[in-house]
Amino acid sequence: MAERFLVSVDLKNLQASADNALDLKTISYLNRVHVSVTPGTHQDASAFLRKHFDRFVTYCDCTALENLEDVVSLLNCGATKVFVAYWQLKAIVEDHVLEGQDLSRLIVSFDHSVCEGDPEPRAKNLLSRVKDYVGETPIGIQVHDVHDWKLLDMMNHMSKSEYYPSRYVTLAYNTRDHYVKAVKGGHIAIIPASELTTDPKKYPWLIPAHLLITTGIQSDRSDGMLPTVVTDEHGICLGLVYSSEKSIEIALQSGRGVYQSRRHGLWIKGHKSGNTQELLSIALDCDADALQFIVRQKGEGFCHLNTSTCFGPYSGIARLGRTLQARKELAPAGSYTARLFNEPKLLEAKIMEEASELCEATSKEDVAAEAGDLLYFALTKCVAAGVSLEDIERNLDLKSVKVTRRKGDPKPQWAEKVGLRDITNESTTTVSRTPKEETVQEAASVPKGKEDPAGLLDGRIQMMRYNTTKTDVKTIQEALQRPSQRSTDQIMGIVHPIIKEVREGGDVAVLKYTHKFEKAFSLKSPVIHAPFPQHLMQLPQETIEAIDVSYENIRRFHAAQKEEKPLQVETMPGVVCSRFSRPIERVGLYVPGGTAVLPSTALMLGVPAMVAGCKRIVIATPPRSDGTITPEIVYVAHKVGAESIVLAGGAQAVAAMAYGTQSISKVDKILGPGNQFVTAGKMIVSNDTTAGVSIDMPAGPSEVLVIADKTANPAFVASDLLSQAEHGTDSQVVLIAVDLTEEQLAAVEDELHAQANALPRKDIVRGAIEHSVTLMVKDVEEAMRYSNAYAPEHLILQIENAASAVSLVQNAGSVFIGPWTPESVGDYSAGVNHSLPTYGYAKQYSGVNLSSFTKHITSSNLTKEGLNNVSGAVMQLAKVEELEAHRRAVSIRLEHMAREEK
């Protein structure tokens, strides 16, 4: 198919408001669109692609995107091609982002200003730079803001030998003459929709939309008419006709099939017969000397003989689809055909029967016959469900453009049926966990190979340095930005349907998502109820002792937070106000899984819930793929008196606890850290008044800020930084070096490099170090100003007289004081809680503590004297607010007292 133009549309204003602008429906007739994607419109672009995949051939300008995964996601959503900057092309090739995929879906974009000077060396330089990375792959190039026609001519000439067949341009002046010149020069012009019109008489200064199709097109006929193939939405040829510039103009204006008859002039299809055609799009063939009109046929058919096509009736799948549609509408009640459409179980049995027979078939003839039978019943299900052939083909086309693939192994129950046992590690037996078996889920910034520079400076694992006396404040603020997360809209769009399905589907929905995400296909129930079987808690004695020590220290610290007695204050004579606490009755505790097992989180949440006196404690944690959960978590659940353990993770676990299911208890508050999907789930349910559930706090990736002066031990400093960096590639660690010399700072960096290389999670550490920083400051006061502005989850003070600096702390989740207090003790066994605010939320939130599991109730107790004393103020304010019943509730009592006194 020939490319001549792209129509550029604004994602934020898809339905044009100006009366001269093309609307989206008219643009769809032209078929080929261009959208500019920024981090702020990425979600809009993804939604546009998913919604309009079968309606538009969409090209996405991704040059403003910093995350290459966002570029890949647009290709997966159905972008035909993407425009990338030269640096993006370089990273895509060097980082193997599209490993094994065709690079021809990339178009490398340049601004015309990068090639200043004589046109020939400019063009040579531009094309050779691209060729260095793509080799002989046919790839498109684009030049922005073109007004130098010599440059375009040179590119056009050189591309014939350098094998860059597609040359896209945005014009400095979007006029009819400039567009014609670009197209006739062999370039593909990108024209804003706002510069086009279907009514050139009314808007002569705009480019007529039909010129996008007719400019540069060639006809071998003396009358200039163009051969035109008319096809339906499935690509089936309906017939051969002719088109002219005028017929194309009218077709775009009317949205109908309009052609040029060799004998009768303009031919509006179906104008007399009623067999009209809805125009879907117009395309050029590869040589730009013929057209394709894609239409949706109405009425009897295309041919004047009332057949579907000029070549006879439909055949194959298309014919079967029409036949089944007719049978659905006309089958006698109670007939076998009618039952197939109306009895889902009957149809389900036939599909499984035919699928089984196809699997058993061996000869060519039998395979063809059984495949035909299966397609018949599969299409019957589609017709019964209102699914058209167009829907199926759209789905198939979308699959064909994806550049990433998920693992496609069969589910265990099907693999076992055919004796396929070596493709999956799912098992019904318990698998012991060893360090060697730990699997790390790779994140975006995990180095992809030895040559990946993530986390490296001059070949060493090292954080970027900034000297605050020599660096402007804005640069430092940008350096301290947390690693970017997916957009809120994108996350919410994924989580909302999960929450809804669990709320409505209960246990079945929870199990569905556990099977999908955790691959725990053997699970039949989403929950384990207490008392927990002893065999689920079998642990080495040293692990039991470690948990017991941590349990007792955490219990003591949180028990000390209990209020000794209710607060009671007499605010004025006879007016006594009180406040007392009560435990939240039902709490849900989320314990993450994933790249690490976290029984410590079960302790940090479960022990204060137990100390507070919560009547029901529900723990949710993702199971392993064999359906079991780690025995450490079961043991902690047993010690804190948990009622049950929900075998699920993510938003589905949050929803199950928020709304309750057939077997999972509803809770009143959900606490615990998690990834972006867990956090989004918590925020959604807490905002749903029908759920009646609260949460502890928003949470993000782990982080630590270490303040170190010349008294700090470099090995200690490095180890504290790495203890958080190993959590995940989205973690961030910050070192604030107070008046350190170059030698002292180098000693810390040497330790960090050496210790990091010795860690089993070294690649994850490098991913975190990539966006971690060192600030060099002059004194502790300056260090604390930066720390308070950052508001770290963990703050470590490795400075002289560290305890005296605590008074300067305004914002932090938890503080670790002095050289002998590593952050690790807070994570596990010191007694303080490790469930802390991250991502700067320490400015507004406290970490989990005993009050997280309690609520305060106030009371007022007035005597007659007290009511007399306060009544004047109450009645006056009620009068001001015009709440008469409030005022009368006091005045009636005063009147009653007055009567008693008489």
Side-chain angles (χ1 to χ4, degrees):
M1 185 181 298
E3 293 179 286
R4 289 299 177 89
F5 62 88
L6 299 177
V7 179
S8 186
V9 298
D10 181 359
L11 287 171
K12 291 297 186 182
N13 187 26
L14 291 176
Q15 298 300 331
S17 55
D19 61 354
N20 63 301
L22 299 190
D23 61 18
L24 202 58
K25 185 174 177 113
T26 305
I27 295 170
S28 72
Y29 305 150
L30 300 168
N31 193 234
R32 316 182 79 81
V33 297
H34 165 277
V35 295
S36 294
V37 188
T38 66
T41 61
H42 180 268
Q43 187 64 25
D44 297 314
S46 299
F48 179 86
L49 287 165
R50 285 191 292 268
K51 183 176 181 180
H52 301 299
F53 172 73
D54 53 347
R55 191 174 175 188
F56 293 104
V57 174
T58 306
Y59 291 58
C60 294
D61 185 338
C62 299
T63 53
L65 296 179
E66 296 179 1
N67 189 340
L68 295 181
E69 287 198 346
D70 288 344
V71 178
V72 173
S73 74
L74 293 173
L75 288 170
N76 281 334
C77 285
T80 303
K81 294 185 180 182
V82 293
F83 293 87
V84 295
Y86 179 71
W87 74 264
Q88 291 171 314
L89 171 70
K90 185 173 180 288
I92 286 170
V93 174
E94 291 180 349
D95 294 352
H96 309 288
V97 174
L98 295 178
E99 185 84 63
Q101 299 295 326
D102 188 0
L103 294 177
S104 65
R105 288 176 68 187
L106 304 180
I107 301 165
V108 189
S109 181
F110 294 90
D111 187 271
H112 75 282
S113 61
V114 302
C115 308
E116 298 297 345
D118 184 62
E120 183 166 356
R122 287 158 62 191
K124 283 183 178 179
N125 174 55
L126 185 152
L127 295 172
S128 64
R129 287 168 64 190
V130 174
K131 189 174 178 64
D132 287 343
Y133 283 98
V134 302
E136 297 302 316
T137 300
I139 194 168
I141 55 174
Q142 177 196 23
V143 181
H144 282 292
D145 195 27
V146 169
H147 48 73
D148 187 341
W149 296 103
K150 291 182 179 179
L151 173 61
L152 287 187
D153 292 341
M154 188 61 64
M155 285 172 54
N156 192 25
H157 172 73
M158 293 188 62
S159 65
K160 295 175 182 177
S161 59
E162 295 291 342
Y163 200 43
Y164 298 101
S166 301
R167 300 167 305 286
Y168 302 81
V169 295
T170 57
L171 304 173
Y173 307 102
N174 287 299
T175 66
R176 176 175 180 156
D177 290 344
H178 279 74
Y179 169 71
V180 170
K181 187 170 184 178
V183 171
K184 288 188 174 180
H187 304 287
I188 301 157
I190 302 172
I191 305 294
S194 58
E195 301 290 338
L196 299 169
T197 183
T198 56
D199 192 350
K201 289 184 179 179
K202 187 175 181 181
Y203 304 106
W205 61 89
L206 298 178
I207 301 173
H210 68 271
L211 284 186
L212 299 187
I213 298 169
T214 58
T215 298
I217 201 167
Q218 301 170 356
S219 173
D220 57 3
R221 293 178 54 89
S222 59
D223 56 13
M225 287 196 290
L226 298 162
T228 301
V229 176
V230 184
T231 71
D232 68 5
E233 60 268 43
H234 312 299
I236 296 172
C237 180
L238 303 178
L240 178 66
V241 296
Y242 289 91
S243 293
S244 66
E245 183 172 322
K246 187 63 177 177
S247 71
I248 295 169
E249 181 181 0
I250 300 300
L252 293 177
Q253 290 173 348
S254 64
R256 294 177 60 178
V258 180
Y259 312 106
Q260 190 75 31
S261 169
R262 287 167 292 176
R263 288 181 293 176
H264 305 298
L266 203 63
W267 170 28
I268 302 175
K269 179 69 176 75
H271 182 65
K272 295 181 179 179
S273 67
N275 297 330
T276 60
Q277 293 175 343
E278 175 190 351
L279 179 63
L280 298 180
S281 67
I282 304 175
L284 284 74
D285 78 337
C286 59
D287 294 327
D289 59 4
L291 297 178
Q292 178 190 18
F293 266 61
I294 304 171
V295 300
R296 185 175 286 115
Q297 182 68 34
K298 310 288 185 179
E300 294 296 327
F302 178 79
C303 185
H304 68 286
L305 299 178
N306 285 336
T307 56
S308 301
T309 82
C310 287
F311 306 102
Y314 279 114
S315 62
I317 296 290
R319 182 175 185 177
L320 177 60
R322 289 173 175 258
T323 299
L324 289 172
Q325 188 63 52
R327 288 180 179 176
K328 178 185 178 183
E329 297 168 359
L330 302 174
S335 66
Y336 175 69
T337 300
R339 289 179 60 208
L340 279 176
F341 288 108
N342 298 316
E343 297 180 22
K345 289 296 181 184
L346 173 63
L347 185 54
E348 182 181 331
K350 287 300 298 180
I351 291 173
M352 290 192 289
E353 173 190 333
E354 300 302 340
S356 176
E357 290 179 358
L358 175 59
C359 292
E360 295 169 0
T362 55
S363 70
K364 180 178 178 180
E365 293 77 10
D366 287 347
V367 169
E370 299 301 342
D373 289 343
L374 179 59
L375 286 172
Y376 179 90
F377 289 105
L379 203 53
T380 299
K381 182 175 179 68
C382 292
V383 171
V387 175
S388 67
L389 275 178
E390 193 175 1
D391 295 327
I392 299 169
E393 289 167 350
R394 179 182 188 278
N395 195 281
L396 291 172
D397 288 342
L398 190 55
K399 286 179 170 61
S400 72
V401 300
K402 286 192 174 182
V403 295
T404 56
R405 298 284 185 272
R406 62 180 179 85
K407 190 175 181 181
D409 287 341
K411 294 180 179 178
Q413 62 267 37
W414 301 109
E416 290 174 6
K417 281 191 175 184
V418 296
L420 214 61
R421 299 182 181 277
D422 59 343
I423 63 165
T424 179
N425 60 1
E426 281 78 21
S427 170
T428 55
T429 59
T430 300
V431 180
S432 61
R433 178 174 49 82
T434 67
K436 289 184 179 179
E437 292 173 328
E438 178 185 60
T439 59
V440 177
Q441 296 179 352
E442 185 175 85
S445 54
V446 170
K448 304 295 190 296
K450 293 180 179 179
E451 303 306 317
D452 194 308
L456 299 180
L457 288 174
D458 297 326
R460 290 162 50 83
I461 300 176
Q462 183 176 322
M463 300 187 297
M464 186 70 74
R465 287 190 198 178
Y466 295 89
N467 189 323
T468 61
T469 62
K470 300 177 181 178
T471 310
D472 63 272
V473 174
K474 183 179 179 182
T475 300
I476 293 175
Q477 289 173 342
E478 290 175 352
L480 288 173
Q481 288 291 315
R482 268 79 172 182
S484 61
Q485 304 291 298
R486 291 197 200 184
S487 72
T488 301
D489 289 344
Q490 187 177 6
I491 291 292
M492 291 298 186
I494 295 169
V495 172
H496 267 294
I498 296 175
I499 298 286
K500 182 177 185 292
E501 189 168 352
V502 172
R503 184 177 69 234
E504 297 173 354
D507 285 351
V508 172
V510 176
L511 276 173
K512 167 190 167 180
Y513 284 110
T514 300
H515 293 165
K516 178 179 180 179
F517 294 126
E518 317 305 336
K519 311 304 180 188
F521 300 108
S522 61
L523 278 182
K524 305 301 180 186
S525 171
V527 66
I528 302 173
H529 291 281
F532 306 115
Q534 189 61 41
H535 73 271
L536 296 181
M537 296 183 278
Q538 293 182 359
L539 291 166
Q541 186 59 36
E542 57 269 25
T543 302
I544 292 174
E545 291 173 0
I547 290 175
D548 289 348
V549 167
S550 301
Y551 169 92
E552 182 57 23
N553 287 350
I554 297 166
R555 187 199 65 77
R556 286 179 182 173
F557 182 67
H558 288 80
Q561 298 172 31
K562 277 190 172 182
E563 297 176 4
E564 294 184 4
K565 59 181 180 180
L567 173 70
Q568 191 172 87
V569 178
E570 188 173 27
T571 57
M572 65 191 309
V575 180
V576 177
C577 296
S578 299
R579 190 188 76 167
F580 53 92
S581 65
R582 294 290 185 268
I584 296 172
E585 292 188 45
R586 305 171 299 182
V587 293
L589 314 179
Y590 187 85
V591 179
T595 63
V597 178
L598 299 173
S600 57
T601 299
L603 282 166
M604 295 295 175
L605 299 173
V607 173
M610 178 197 69
V611 172
C614 300
K615 292 181 180 179
R616 285 188 174 180
I617 299 174
V618 177
I619 294 177
T621 192
R624 297 179 290 199
S625 60
D626 62 358
T628 66
I629 56 176
T630 58
E632 294 92 342
I633 290 177
V634 182
Y635 180 63
V636 172
H638 166 71
K639 284 185 72 72
V640 302
E643 153 190 298
S644 58
I645 302 174
V646 178
L647 305 175
Q652 58 272 24
V654 171
M657 295 189 290
Y659 299 101
T661 70
Q662 296 88 338
S663 60
I664 299 169
S665 297
K666 183 201 173 340
V667 302
D668 302 312
K669 186 172 185 178
I670 298 173
L671 305 95
N675 61 20
Q676 297 170 79
F677 300 99
V678 173
T679 300
K682 288 168 66 177
M683 297 182 76
I684 289 170
V685 299
S686 68
N687 288 323
D688 181 358
T689 55
T690 66
V693 68
S694 68
I695 62 172
D696 49 356
M697 70 188 98
S702 292
E703 58 197 34
V704 67
L705 187 148
V706 180
I707 299 178
D709 65 10
K710 58 186 177 183
T711 68
N713 185 317
F716 293 2
V717 174
S719 66
D720 285 337
L721 293 168
L722 292 171
S723 68
Q724 291 306 295
E726 73 174 350
H727 267 294
T729 58
D730 52 0
S731 295
Q732 186 177 49
V733 300
V734 177
L735 169 62
I736 301 185
V738 180
D739 196 28
L740 294 192
T741 65
E742 175 61 34
E743 292 74 16
Q744 290 167 335
L745 187 54
V748 174
E749 292 173 344
D750 289 344
E751 280 288 343
L752 185 128
H753 176 71
Q755 292 183 33
N757 276 304
L759 293 173
R761 294 162 74 91
K762 179 177 69 173
D763 284 351
I764 286 179
V765 166
R766 282 178 56 193
I769 294 296
E770 174 70 11
H771 38 246
S772 298
V773 297
T774 296
L775 297 187
M776 302 163 65
V777 302
K778 59 182 181 298
D779 53 37
V780 170
E781 287 72 19
E782 184 185 4
M784 291 307 307
R785 285 198 298 273
Y786 279 110
S787 175
N788 287 325
Y790 184 79
E793 177 190 18
H794 306 100
L795 171 60
I796 298 179
L797 301 177
Q798 291 206 38
I799 57 178
E800 191 173 12
N801 299 321
S804 65
V806 174
S807 62
L808 299 175
V809 177
Q810 293 297 321
N811 302 314
S814 191
V815 184
F816 301 84
I817 304 165
W820 311 113
T821 316
E823 185 276 330
S824 312
V825 299
D827 269 355
Y828 297 109
S829 307
V832 297
N833 208 288
H834 81 197
S835 191
L836 303 168
T838 65
Y839 231 71
Y841 283 114
K843 294 177 181 178
Q844 302 94 5
Y845 288 87
S846 305
V848 167
N849 53 72
L850 193 69
S851 65
S852 304
F853 297 89
T854 62
K855 56 194 183 278
H856 284 95
I857 302 170
T858 60
S859 66
S860 304
N861 187 354
L862 276 67
T863 63
K864 288 182 179 180
E865 178 191 12
L867 183 59
N868 263 319
N869 288 336
V870 81
S871 60
V874 173
M875 289 192 293
Q876 179 59 29
L877 289 174
K879 180 181 178 181
V880 169
E881 294 185 356
E882 298 183 356
L883 297 175
E884 179 60 18
H886 280 63
R887 191 193 68 80
R888 287 172 58 82
V890 176
S891 66
I892 287 172
R893 285 173 167 81
L894 294 179
E895 292 167 3
H896 183 77
M897 279 190 273
R899 287 195 298 270
E900 281 185 338
E901 290 175 0
K902 290 180 181 179

